Structure formats: structure tokens, C-alpha cells
Amino acid sequence: FLDLEICRLKSCSLGKLDFCFHRVLRMENGEGPLTFMCGHQRICLCPPLFVGRIWLDNVHCSGLERTLAQCESNGFGVSDCKHSEDVGVVCSQRRIPGFKFISTLTNNVESLNVQVEDVRIRAISSQRKRVPMTEGYLEVKDGGKWRQICDLEWTEMNSRVICGMYGFPGEKRYNTKVYKLLAKRRKKNYWGFGVNCTGNEASLHGCKLGHKVELRGNATCEKGLPVVVNCVPGRAFAPSHAQGFSKAYRVEQPLVRLRGGANIGEGRVEVLKNGEWGTVCDDSWNLKAATVVCRELGFGSAKEALAGGKLGQGMGPVHMNEVKCSGFEKSLTECYFNRDALGCSHEEDAAVRCNVPAMDFQNRLRLSGGRNPFEGRVEVLAEKNGSLVWGTVCSDSWGTIEASVVCRQLGLGFANNAFQETWYWPGDMSADDVVMSGVRCSGTEMTLAQCLHHGKHLDCPRGGGRFAAGVSCSETAPDLVLNAQVVEHTTYLEDRPMYILQCANEEHCLSSSAATATSSSYRRLLRFSSQIHNNGLTDFRPRAAHHSWIWHECHRHYHSMEVFTHYDLLSLNGTKVAEGHKASFCLEDTQCEQGIEKRYECANFGQQGITVGCWDTYRHDIDCQWIDVTDVVPGDYIFQVVINPNYEVAESDYTNNIMKCRCRYDGHRIWMYNCYIGERLEITVEITGYNIIECDGHLSCSKPFCLWMTTF
């Protein structure tokens, strides 16, 4: 049924190939190869040279059928199709439901083939409303019936595996008195086997089958009770911080973090070393190592250990290679690894998808009226007059950051757009009333309710209805990252006469004192080049369409984004002393990685954007690629560049949009050093009278002193 072939054609680049079919770019000669863009590789799929009959046409399945023959169709052999319309499938690597156990009970003749359909934690009545549900009877579904497991051979390691499957990093003991009383009152239905886990399995699928249990009706498991598990939630999911798994969820100084993931509990793995975040090479990367990461961050065991930069590529160093974990480490940094990452590139960045607790997030929010499940008017479930009702969200101050929280809460990936008018999406009329206003999110929240908002004191002058907030979501997003080394190596000062800078002055690229400057005066400009990479999973495109771009007569070009980057010079305490900005008059693929074709160029009013795996270079010698430092006094400063500062275009990670450098200006020359992307560890330490203000390799101390901070 599946007949796909990778074609060796000139239009195709071979290498690391990945099947994903989100968008067809073109079909050559009607019957030729289909060309796709997948990540940053082009893939050609040749239609199979099949000459037999076409058996099925207009096939419609509900998804519950066991075979394709059970789906509705025109009937076998009834078709008006050609072989250019033959269909194919690409199957997911995710396993089908159910758990097949590794049997150790063999009689040297045949092995037992034992498989259960599902596993669940069934809470007792007093805890059924608790979110997340952390405690209850463990039951397996076998032969369509839920059955308990006898606890005579049950161990903490078994509970650890179960808790990990349900998104919890650890387990603890429970109150046996309650369950002993309940066991006397309830009829039990035991499963015929025990379970034997070592504790480092990602799910029951990797556990071994325990001893066979003799089923004798009410006399089964006479000396034991049904298995009960009690899990400890990560701090982010705990009802209160005091009950959280504090060791697994390090808030103050995390050594590991996830970046670029579309949903909660997934992302590219990054580790902190010597104050700098770096990635992990995917050599030897497996579920055990991924599970250590997940538990360390307060999630359960890992669902997937992803390789090949599947969740985006990082920047900077590769800190760890050939990671090998036992599965019981408290942190990934405790695992064995090779510090030598020679041969590893960011195309091999490791990532994880973790099991997370069922928090009922998706039942408190919905999208209504959209053309597909990924878009629509945002409606939230809120309490009104003592009852729960659906209502809309006020669109005042509604933006991409707020939309990203909605998409994450619904498990729909990244925000594609945030809408402040939704009259074209006819939602549920009974939900037109505004029930939430003044929403302001930081982007890290798991639910919209966690964002700042007005609470019960609503304030929405425009009202709901047609002005209700809306979103569109996407499973992939771009990710812009500035090359810090290029900035550091290309910085210089230039004194330029004012009469040459009239166009730049019109675009507000000079400081305010330029308004009164004479045409014969000079401005001192801090010039530099910027190289902006797209390390995401989809192309970066301006939000505004062609027809709405703004024409600037003086420079005679269009601006597709009025503010694409901010350039700031800050004092050491963070006060802004000079600023600049750059409009995106031309977003294009200046250069690309090997094997990737350029797709965007600005010539002849062409399409603008940055392709995945390509970068756009703004050279130091073009207008506005500077900060006007004419009025800046000599001293030490912080130079800062922020890409996409107004969040006009959605990205998978905004934390790497900021670059900072240390800067020293003596009135004649300037030195730029210690440039870095995103966050860097800064610690204030006092050692016998030496006050270390900053720990980033260049320390400001009250006395000459040197300290090297090593995280691990």
C-alpha cells in the first residue's frame, strides 16, 4: 500500500531526510515528482510506476474501522481515477495503545504473550475532583474489563514507572488504613499476573511480567490488597508549592531547560555550563536520558527522545555529547557524557517530549467559529452568578504573546496570529458576553487564567461579539537568532556629516539632538553588521501582506515591518543612554546552509522572509544599521539588540531574540566584548571583602580579583 521512493533528481537535495507533508510546493509535468519542503530539506516523492487496477475511490473512514475495506467507498473496482492520483501514507512512530509485557515465565517451549489494553489510576470518591489526580487504585484493562493488581510483589520502582507515565516525577507512600477499609467493602477483580519494573522504564511497556496470580474468586490475594499508587506532582502542577517535587523542579538556578517546544513538557534540551547555555548532541540519546531530563524539570517520564534538531536548532556551544544515563540520576549533568563535541553540529540537537499530568486545561478554553480546529474566537469557561458559563475575551491589548498561551493550553502548538476582531468567525451567540478583560501574559503561563487580568471587575469599552479576541495556531514556527560573533567582530565608529544623513533622520534613526544639528555638523555612529538566522521549523514571514507595506520616498523602498530590530546602549544599571531601530525594508535569504535553496529576495518587489536554515545579513554600511552615540560620554556600557521586539511575528522562542555585549567607549575608540544570546548566569558573591558584581568572564570587583564560575 505504501510505495514511496526518494528520487535522485537535480531539484532534490539528498542528506538527512524527514517525511512531513504540510505544503506541496509544486508538481512537475503533471505526473512528475512531488516536491516538498520539510524542515530545511527538500524531498521529492516519485509516484510509483503502478499499472494495475485502482480498487477504491472516494474512501471515507470514521477511524474506528479495523480494515480499509470496512470504510465507505464507491465499492471495489468502481473508480474514475488515474494512477497520478494514487495515495500513500506515512505512519507515526508513536506506539499504538496497550502494553505488551516482557515475559520471564517461559517453559523452554513457548513464551507467554501477555498484553493489556490500557492502564489507569482510579481515584476514590473523596479525591475524584482533585486536579491533578495523584492517588488511587492502579487498574489494567484486560479483555475489556478493568482489573486490579495484587500488591504482594508490588515495589516502589513499579509505582515510580506508573507515576512517570502519568506526568509525575516521583512517588510516595499512602495512607493504607483508608484503602484497607475500602477493600473489605468492595468486590475485587484481580488481574492474573504481577508486574516487575526496575524503575528506569519510561512506561509499563518496558517492564517484565511478574509471577502468575492464582485466581480464586474472593480468596485471590488473601494476604494482600489491590495496588494503590500515590504520585508527587512537579512544583508547576502542585495544588500548592509546598506539596511540589522541589528537588525535581529547580526554580532559582536550573541547570537544564527546554526551548522551542510547541506544547508543555517538550523542547530542545539545553544545559548551563560556565554561565552559558548550550545544547546536547544526539549521539547515544535515548529514552533513559530523556526521562532524566523530564523528571528533573518536574514532569514524568519521557514519551519521546528526539534527535536531529526535530524541535529546532540552538545556537552557541554543544556542551554534552554521547550522554549515557542509568535513569535514576537527579539531573542530566550527573549522567556520563563526553565533553568533546567535535563532529556535532546543531543539526544534531537533542530534544524531548515528556509525559505531563492531566490538568483539565483544554476543557476550560475553546476556539469557536474557525474554519479548522486551529483557529477561531477565544471562549473561556468562567463563573458568573454562581454558575459556569462560556464567554469571550476582550481584545484590548490582545497580542501574539497572549495568543501563544491559548494555543499552548489547547495543545495546538504555537500562535500564528492574534486577532482583535472576529466578526468573520460566527461563534456561539450564547457566549458573546465578555467574561475576561485586561489580559496580559508573559508567555510562560500554562493557561490563560494564569495571566494578569481584571478578574471580576471587567473593563472592555468595545465589548465582545465582533471585537472578541481570536487566534490561529500552528504546529511549527520560525525562530530568529542573531549571530553574536558577527556583531562583536564588525563594530566600529564612524563620524558622518549631517547632510548625508537626511533620509536616516526622516526615518528617526538618529538621536533627538540631530533635529537641531546643522547640515555641516557630524554625527558619531556606532556601526555593526547583524546576521539573523532562522533556526525554527518554518519560514519567517512579515505579518503585513504586500499591499500594506509602507513606501519610504527618501530611501525609495518598502518597509514590510516598521520595527524589525531595536538597538540600545545601556548604562551598567540598565538605563538607556542611546537607541536606534531598524525597519525591515528587505527581509531576504542572504545565505543558506549547504543543500538549502534561497526562497526570498527583495529585488523587483519580491517576496520577503527568511527560509529555515538561511540567514539575512544587514551590513554595517547601510543606513540605520547603527546607534547614534554623538551625545554619549566615555564609559562602560551594555550594548543590546532585540529582534522582533513588538512580537509582530510569532516565534517558537523569544528568549533568544535578545543579544547583549559589554562595551567600553573612551571618546575615540570603542571595544565590544563578551557578546551573548539570551540569558547568562549572573551572580553576586562576596568573598573576604571582594564584591564580585558580575560573573560572566569579565568581573567588576572592588579589588583586583579573578573567579571562574563552573556550573558542572
Side-chain angles (χ1 to χ4, degrees):
F1 184 68
L2 178 61
D3 190 3
L4 300 177
E5 178 185 352
I6 303 298
C7 310
R8 289 185 175 272
L9 299 178
K10 293 181 180 179
S11 60
C12 294
S13 55
L14 298 174
K16 288 190 175 180
L17 299 176
D18 195 2
F19 293 100
C20 57
F21 313 117
H22 297 305
R23 180 172 64 252
V24 178
L25 297 183
R26 67 173 176 271
M27 185 174 186
E28 300 174 1
N29 303 324
E31 305 247 348
L34 296 178
T35 305
F36 296 87
M37 179 65 68
C38 177
H40 53 73
Q41 296 286 351
R42 295 178 68 242
I43 296 172
C44 295
L45 302 178
C46 289
L49 301 175
F50 194 79
V51 294
R53 294 189 63 180
I54 296 175
W55 288 109
L56 292 173
D57 189 9
N58 291 326
V59 180
H60 296 280
C61 303
S62 66
L64 300 176
E65 297 84 358
R66 289 185 176 273
T67 70
L68 198 64
Q70 294 177 353
C71 299
E72 293 184 8
S73 68
N74 291 351
F76 277 93
V78 182
S79 172
D80 58 357
C81 285
K82 300 178 295 182
H83 282 299
S84 60
E85 300 172 84
D86 287 349
V87 301
V89 298
V90 176
C91 301
S92 171
Q93 293 183 0
R94 294 182 182 180
R95 63 175 186 80
I96 60 174
F99 301 91
K100 185 175 181 179
F101 293 92
I102 302 171
S103 174
T104 57
L105 305 178
T106 59
N107 55 9
N108 297 324
V109 178
E110 60 181 354
S111 297
L112 294 175
N113 184 16
V114 179
Q115 183 168 346
V116 294
E117 300 156 36
D118 204 354
V119 179
R120 73 178 182 185
I121 298 175
R122 181 171 61 83
I124 59 176
S125 57
S126 62
Q127 298 199 23
R128 283 179 185 167
K129 292 185 178 180
R130 186 174 179 177
V131 178
M133 187 179 66
T134 58
E135 181 181 334
Y137 287 109
L138 177 66
E139 298 183 338
V140 296
K141 194 174 186 180
D142 184 28
K145 294 182 179 180
W146 289 103
R147 306 176 191 275
Q148 296 88 37
I149 299 176
C150 180
D151 70 353
L152 290 179
E153 292 184 349
W154 192 259
T155 66
E156 288 186 359
M157 292 297 101
N158 294 349
S159 295
R160 173 182 166 88
V161 173
I162 295 295
C163 290
M165 287 171 52
Y166 280 89
F168 303 113
E171 75 293 331
K172 64 179 181 180
R173 296 185 178 182
Y174 62 94
N175 185 353
T176 57
K177 293 181 181 179
V178 175
Y179 292 95
K180 283 181 179 178
L181 290 173
L182 290 172
K184 293 178 181 179
R185 302 174 190 172
R186 294 186 177 181
K187 184 179 179 181
K188 295 174 282 296
N189 183 16
Y190 283 104
W191 187 47
F193 296 92
V195 176
N196 183 13
C197 304
T198 61
N200 60 2
E201 296 89 351
S203 72
L204 274 183
H205 188 65
C207 294
K208 294 181 179 180
L209 199 64
H211 289 98
K212 196 168 184 178
V213 176
E214 187 179 351
L215 301 179
R216 298 182 295 159
N218 291 335
T220 305
C221 193
E222 276 186 309
K223 297 181 180 180
L225 294 170
V227 166
V228 175
V229 294
N230 189 10
C231 304
V232 182
R235 186 171 295 185
F237 303 99
S240 68
H241 288 306
Q243 298 177 22
F245 197 82
S246 57
K247 290 184 179 179
Y249 194 84
R250 303 180 184 182
V251 177
E252 295 179 358
Q253 186 182 323
L255 300 180
V256 178
R257 68 182 185 184
L258 301 181
R259 285 292 183 266
N263 298 302
I264 300 168
E266 68 176 46
R268 178 179 63 254
V269 180
E270 296 185 354
V271 294
L272 184 65
K273 181 181 179 183
N274 294 337
E276 187 173 13
W277 289 100
T279 60
V280 178
C281 188
D282 63 10
D283 293 350
S284 304
W285 187 249
N286 58 22
L287 273 177
K288 284 185 180 179
T291 293
V292 171
V293 171
C294 292
R295 291 186 188 273
E296 178 178 3
L297 295 175
F299 305 113
S301 53
K303 288 192 291 188
E304 292 181 82
L306 301 168
K310 288 287 181 62
L311 296 185
Q313 298 180 24
M315 290 285 283
V318 178
H319 282 326
M320 302 178 77
N321 183 24
E322 297 176 353
V323 179
K324 295 178 182 177
C325 304
S326 68
F328 294 102
E329 294 85 355
K330 297 293 184 183
S331 171
L332 186 69
T333 59
E334 296 177 9
C335 299
Y336 168 82
F337 64 94
N338 186 351
R339 296 175 186 271
D340 185 2
L342 288 176
C344 283
S345 68
H346 288 297
E347 292 181 355
E348 300 171 87
D349 284 346
V352 298
R353 285 197 176 101
C354 306
N355 287 309
V356 297
M359 298 294 292
D360 201 31
F361 289 156
Q362 298 181 2
N363 295 328
R364 305 175 200 174
L365 189 74
R366 69 186 184 189
L367 301 183
S368 178
R371 296 164 297 179
N372 57 63
F374 285 82
E375 67 177 21
R377 184 176 77 174
V378 179
E379 295 177 359
V380 296
L381 191 62
E383 188 174 341
K384 189 174 183 181
N385 299 327
S387 60
L388 291 174
V389 297
W390 287 99
T392 57
V393 179
C394 184
S395 62
D396 291 350
S397 75
W398 186 257
T400 305
I401 298 296
E402 288 72 32
S404 68
V405 174
V406 169
C407 295
R408 187 186 304 120
Q409 181 176 348
L410 292 172
L412 299 178
F414 304 103
N416 199 21
N417 277 301
F419 301 96
Q420 295 189 345
E421 292 188 22
T422 52
W423 52 268
Y424 37 80
W425 285 332
D428 187 346
M429 292 184 63
S430 64
D432 277 351
D433 292 341
V434 174
V435 295
M436 197 174 191
S437 66
V439 180
R440 290 290 180 93
C441 303
S442 68
T444 60
E445 298 87 354
M446 291 191 289
T447 69
L448 198 64
Q450 293 175 354
C451 299
L452 292 174
H453 58 94
H454 289 155
K456 295 181 180 179
H457 306 286
L458 301 175
D459 181 18
C460 189
R462 296 201 302 173
R466 60 175 293 173
F467 295 110
V471 301
S472 65
C473 306
S474 173
E475 292 178 328
T476 57
D479 182 21
L480 297 187
V481 185
L482 186 68
N483 189 323
Q485 286 187 335
V486 170
V487 174
E488 190 170 337
H489 295 162
T490 58
T491 304
Y492 65 96
L493 292 176
E494 180 192 18
D495 291 334
R496 199 166 179 83
M498 188 66 195
Y499 66 85
I500 300 179
L501 299 172
Q502 292 305 314
C503 284
N505 198 27
E506 285 185 19
E507 294 190 15
H508 309 290
C509 295
L510 301 176
S511 62
S512 56
S513 64
T516 58
T518 62
S519 60
S520 59
S521 62
Y522 281 76
R523 309 301 296 181
R524 177 156 290 181
L525 307 176
L526 170 59
R527 284 187 174 273
F528 55 93
S529 296
S530 61
Q531 188 182 97
I532 300 169
H533 294 244
N534 182 2
N535 287 351
L537 298 176
T538 192
D539 296 351
F540 183 93
R541 299 294 309 280
R543 182 178 178 181
H546 257 76
H547 65 274
S548 60
W549 292 358
I550 299 173
W551 174 258
H552 284 255
E553 182 63 31
C554 194
H555 277 135
R556 300 196 63 78
H557 58 228
Y558 285 93
H559 285 181
S560 55
M561 292 174 66
E562 269 302 297
V563 180
F564 178 54
T565 49
H566 276 167
Y567 308 138
D568 297 312
L569 198 64
L570 312 173
S571 66
L572 294 183
N573 64 9
T575 304
K576 189 182 295 185
V577 297
E579 64 180 356
H581 79 275
K582 186 66 183 174
S584 66
F585 69 87
C586 175
L587 276 176
E588 67 177 3
D589 298 327
T590 307
Q591 284 183 281
C592 298
E593 295 175 4
Q594 186 176 4
I596 300 174
E597 293 184 7
K598 298 179 182 179
R599 297 188 59 202
Y600 303 104
E601 59 180 350
C602 302
N604 301 318
F605 196 41
Q607 292 285 343
Q608 292 194 22
I610 307 176
T611 303
V612 174
C614 299
W615 56 90
D616 184 15
T617 301
Y618 279 81
R619 285 175 49 87
H620 56 83
D621 53 1
I622 63 175
D623 263 6
C624 297
Q625 190 62 34
W626 62 57
I627 293 181
D628 184 354
V629 296
T630 305
D631 306 317
V632 174
V633 299
D636 289 322
Y637 298 97
I638 297 172
F639 175 62
Q640 176 177 279
V641 178
V642 183
I643 310 170
N644 191 17
N646 299 333
Y647 311 114
E648 283 189 42
V649 179
E651 297 185 48
S652 61
D653 185 5
Y654 288 112
T655 62
N656 57 13
N657 283 26
I658 300 176
M659 186 216 69
K660 290 183 179 181
C661 303
R662 291 297 302 272
C663 177
R664 175 165 291 181
Y665 174 50
D666 68 356
H668 305 284
R669 294 167 298 178
I670 198 160
W671 291 266
M672 198 79 70
Y673 60 93
N674 269 22
C675 294
Y676 62 92
I677 299 295
E679 306 164 11
R680 173 167 279 193
L681 184 65
E682 295 183 0
I683 304 174
T684 299
V685 187
E686 287 193 14
I687 304 178
T688 60
Y690 295 91
N691 186 28
I692 299 164
I693 305 301
E694 184 179 0
C695 182
D696 62 12
H698 287 260
L699 307 175
S700 301
C701 306
S702 56
K703 300 179 184 179
F705 189 79
C706 184
L707 174 69
W708 291 97
M709 293 296 298
T710 303
T711 307
F712 64 90

